[in-house]
Amino acid sequence: MFTTLTKEQQSAEENSRSHALLLKGGFVRQSASGIYSMLPLGLRTLGKIEAIIDQELHAIGSQKLALPVLLSAENWKKTGRWNASKGEFFRLKDRRDADMLLSPTHEEEITHLVAQELKSSKQLPIRLYQIGRKYRDEFRPRAGLLRGREFVMKDLYTFDESVDAAYASYDLVARAYRNIFERIGVPFVVAEADTGNMGGSKSHEYHLISPVGEDTLLTCSSCGYTANEELAVGKLPQGTTAHESTIESSSNDVGKALGLSSRMPAHLSLFRYASLNREGAKVHEGYAAVAVQHGRSVNTLKVEKSLISHLEKSDLLPEGGVLDFTSTETLSSPSQLPDHVFIDDSVASLVPLVAEREDAAVVVHGPDHFRVTEAGDHCASCEESRPLTTVKAIEVAHAFYLGTRYSAALNCNFFPEKASSKSTSAPVPAEMGCYGIGISRLVATAAEVCHDDRGIVWPGSIAPYRVCIVPTSNNNAELLGLAEKIYDQLEDAVFKVRGRGTSVFYDDVVIDDRKQMFGAKMADAELIGYPFIVVLGKHALESGVVEVNQRIKGEPNLKTKVPVEKLGAWLFERQML
């Protein structure tokens, strides 16, 4: 077996313990910034996660395919995303000067593919998925596999006849996702999330709790409400109403333009926006002011989504276009008014002051929840209204109901079954959903939440090997022979589970026969994280008894003396618990 010099690799990412362990344990090696080679141990863990995903997605009627990594920009321009995220993608031109990109995601590609085959509702539902490499030009790659420029993802895409059918698919995939994470064996939480530039109207994230996580979740201990900070809604604690505050606004120019007092119960933030068409040309622009209670932050995502909705309804944002939305300090001139004012419900008293101005052609939005929810705000989803708490987490999967954003733009249409004839009814776009799991990120996240000061403590389902056999001597031929005998015994088909024709230990046992000291091999076994370490010493030859070390996070190994002839049954019982 190819092994690495585990002690020679150290991580510069001091805040990411998982990255240091994956390097030191010989799972990955860095090729360039944000780009990693997956070594045999890492590839085995990656492959086990993929196998679990394959099984659960096949169980809900999904089919696997492979999509290209190198994509044409044509369909991306049709959906408007080519100009929406210019800094995030690896873009290139071929020898004919045609725009290309390395796939960051595959919504356009799969929709174009299905559009060529879909004709009738009788072909629906369609559920297609792939597992492959993706690319993003991260501004600052960090934490190893947690934030890389190249990564492995699973993407499932669903196509349905109606919104109800698409929601049914969404719930079906949600159950499959729960099965996947429960089988992997890591604790996870599901949070309501923003759809971002993916579009759609329904979205959930799957997180593993970790202090190194980049996402902040707010949760209620009473009803279990959990949402990403970007989407969370909370009620202000009693006694913090806006009228009790007379804090002076730092945006007096905006306030004066709106005719508001220089001493207001709110803080005004100013943004500049521009509507861009699919080609990236500007078709409309203006300013938006946002009023929230002093001391609270503006939830720019909620403001932006509300503004997009208004501009689309007013035909000021073309179909497939994008909104450029940036913070600014001043208006073009002191006398200019912002085109839109968004008023948070914490300062609802400002609504009539702005809306009733006869000379102000200002669109007032709200009062609504335009602030960032914070710890201590009260839950708005249950009667007890307990204070919300925050926790850091790492996102490892995401589910989106996309609607017809991509199918309409790329003509992925079908004729409804109930139509009397194709000549008398128009085709309708398919209702879509997309569901991703960051597989390489999940490897790192599992290591982040499942480790102690000795190394990684993998769940048995995704450990590179379930069992490592470690002879105490490198030169004793009898011990090495016994190791091979135990290896063969564990691979016997008697230790099989339903749906699997081979032993649960088949291709899941490794013998550490390296020419190393026994102590070094044991340290490496604990570092790598084998769930069970079978130690073969003199008692194994004299009395037929081996010592099994079971790895337990944060505790000394649980050591058990087991007769050789009962070892397979003993391990099988504990793997099935």
Side-chain angles (χ1 to χ4, degrees), residues 426-561:
V428 296
E431 295 286 340
M432 290 179 58
C434 74
Y435 310 85
I437 295 179
I439 301 178
S440 53
R441 172 180 271 210
L442 189 50
V443 171
T445 306
E448 190 68 54
V449 301
C450 301
H451 75 266
D452 56 21
D453 58 358
R454 289 174 291 155
I456 304 171
V457 188
W458 294 109
S461 60
I462 62 172
Y465 293 93
R466 289 179 185 264
V467 181
C468 178
I469 302 171
V470 183
T472 56
S473 172
N474 299 321
N475 304 313
N476 190 317
E478 286 187 87
L479 274 182
L480 295 177
L482 179 59
E484 293 180 359
K485 177 183 176 182
I486 292 173
Y487 181 97
D488 293 338
Q489 172 190 329
L490 292 177
E491 292 211 335
D492 193 298
V494 70
F495 303 116
K496 66 181 180 180
V497 293
R498 187 177 63 179
R500 182 170 176 173
T502 58
S503 167
V504 70
F505 300 111
Y506 179 77
D507 193 33
D508 226 357
V509 182
V510 64
I511 301 173
D512 190 347
D513 56 0
R514 295 176 299 161
K515 306 303 179 183
Q516 297 270 351
M517 297 295 292
F518 170 68
K521 290 197 285 188
M522 283 296 293
D524 281 352
E526 293 182 336
L527 168 65
I528 292 168
Y530 304 117
F532 295 95
I533 306 166
V534 179
V535 178
L536 306 185
K538 62 179 182 178
H539 292 294
L541 297 176
E542 295 173 357
S543 56
V545 174
V546 298
E547 180 184 271
V548 181
N549 285 244
Q550 184 175 354
R551 214 46 184 94
I552 300 175
K553 179 182 175 180
E555 299 179 18
N557 291 347
L558 181 61
K559 300 179 180 180
T560 308
K561 302 291 186 181

Side-chain angles (χ1 to χ4, degrees), residues 311-327:
L311 294 175
E312 287 177 339
K313 292 176 182 177
S314 305
D315 294 326
L316 296 174
L317 181 62
E319 184 177 350
V322 295
L323 186 72
D324 183 22
F325 191 76
T326 55
S327 175

Side-chain angles (χ1 to χ4, degrees), residues 48-59:
K48 288 189 171 187
I49 295 173
E50 290 181 7
I52 292 172
I53 291 171
D54 284 337
Q55 292 164 13
E56 294 299 332
L57 293 188
H58 289 166

Side-chain angles (χ1 to χ4, degrees), residues 20-321:
L21 291 171
L22 291 174
L23 282 171
K24 193 175 180 183
F27 289 82
V28 298
R29 286 293 182 268
Q30 185 169 12
S31 173
S33 176
I35 303 173
Y36 293 86
S37 296
M38 193 71 73
L39 302 188
L41 289 175
L43 196 60
R44 285 186 63 86
T45 293
L46 195 79
K48 288 189 171 187
I49 295 173
E50 290 181 7
I52 292 172
I53 291 171
D54 284 337
Q55 292 164 13
E56 294 299 332
L57 293 188
H58 289 166
I60 62 170
S62 304
Q63 293 177 285
K64 193 174 185 178
L65 78 169
L67 297 172
V69 169
L70 183 62
L71 304 178
S72 165
E74 180 182 355
N75 291 322
W76 285 71
K77 291 176 180 179
K78 290 180 180 178
T79 61
R81 291 210 295 174
W82 179 254
N83 293 304
S85 305
K86 290 185 176 180
E88 296 181 11
F89 303 155
F90 286 100
R91 300 163 184 252
L92 62 151
K93 290 181 179 289
D94 65 12
R95 63 181 64 195
R96 296 177 180 82
D97 207 36
D99 288 323
M100 310 288 288
L101 75 159
L102 294 179
S103 62
T105 183
H106 278 94
E107 283 73 29
E108 284 82 358
E109 188 67 22
I110 192 70
T111 308
H112 175 68
L113 186 153
V114 172
Q116 298 176 74
E117 309 298 331
L118 180 61
K119 305 300 178 186
S120 168
S121 60
K122 294 179 180 180
Q123 296 171 262
L124 301 173
I126 294 172
R127 298 178 186 129
L128 298 172
Y129 79 98
Q130 71 147 6
I131 294 175
R133 293 184 179 273
K134 301 291 183 70
Y135 299 87
R136 289 227 174 104
D137 191 7
E138 290 285 350
F139 179 74
R140 188 172 69 87
R142 55 197 178 278
L145 299 180
L146 290 179
R147 180 65 70 179
R149 304 166 83 191
E150 180 186 57
F151 46 94
V152 179
M153 278 199 71
K154 183 282 304 174
D155 293 302
L156 167 67
Y157 300 97
T158 60
F159 298 79
D160 285 283
E161 181 179 7
S162 65
V163 174
D164 288 344
Y167 276 20
S169 290
Y170 193 100
D171 293 339
L172 189 67
V173 177
R175 288 195 293 271
Y177 269 32
R178 287 187 176 275
N179 292 341
I180 288 168
F181 287 109
E182 286 172 0
R183 287 183 59 185
I184 288 173
V186 290
F188 67 98
V189 295
V190 184
E192 295 179 11
D194 182 74
T195 57
N197 66 0
M198 295 294 289
S201 58
K202 185 176 183 179
S203 177
H204 287 84
E205 294 171 344
Y206 294 75
H207 293 265
L208 272 62
I209 304 301
S210 171
V212 305
E214 296 179 336
D215 288 302
T216 300
L217 305 182
L218 289 107
T219 184
C220 172
S221 61
S222 177
C223 68
Y225 169 79
T226 304
N228 193 299
E229 184 181 47
E230 299 169 344
L231 193 69
V233 174
K235 296 186 293 186
L236 290 175
Q238 292 184 355
T240 58
T241 54
H243 62 79
E244 294 177 357
S245 176
T246 55
I247 304 299
E248 194 168 323
S249 170
S250 62
S251 303
N252 284 329
D253 288 345
V254 180
K256 288 178 182 178
L258 291 171
L260 300 177
S261 168
S262 61
R263 294 181 64 81
M264 299 180 298
H267 175 80
L268 283 172
S269 298
L270 188 63
F271 298 86
R272 183 168 189 151
Y273 69 87
S275 300
L276 309 178
N277 62 20
R278 289 175 179 173
E279 289 71 39
K282 188 183 298 182
V283 296
H284 175 70
E285 62 181 338
Y287 290 90
V290 187
V292 298
Q293 190 178 53
H294 183 82
R296 302 303 293 258
S297 301
V298 173
N299 190 321
T300 55
L301 284 174
K302 289 184 178 179
V303 172
E304 188 173 352
K305 288 188 71 172
S306 182
L307 181 57
I308 287 173
S309 177
H310 175 84
L311 294 175
E312 287 177 339
K313 292 176 182 177
S314 305
D315 294 326
L316 296 174
L317 181 62
E319 184 177 350

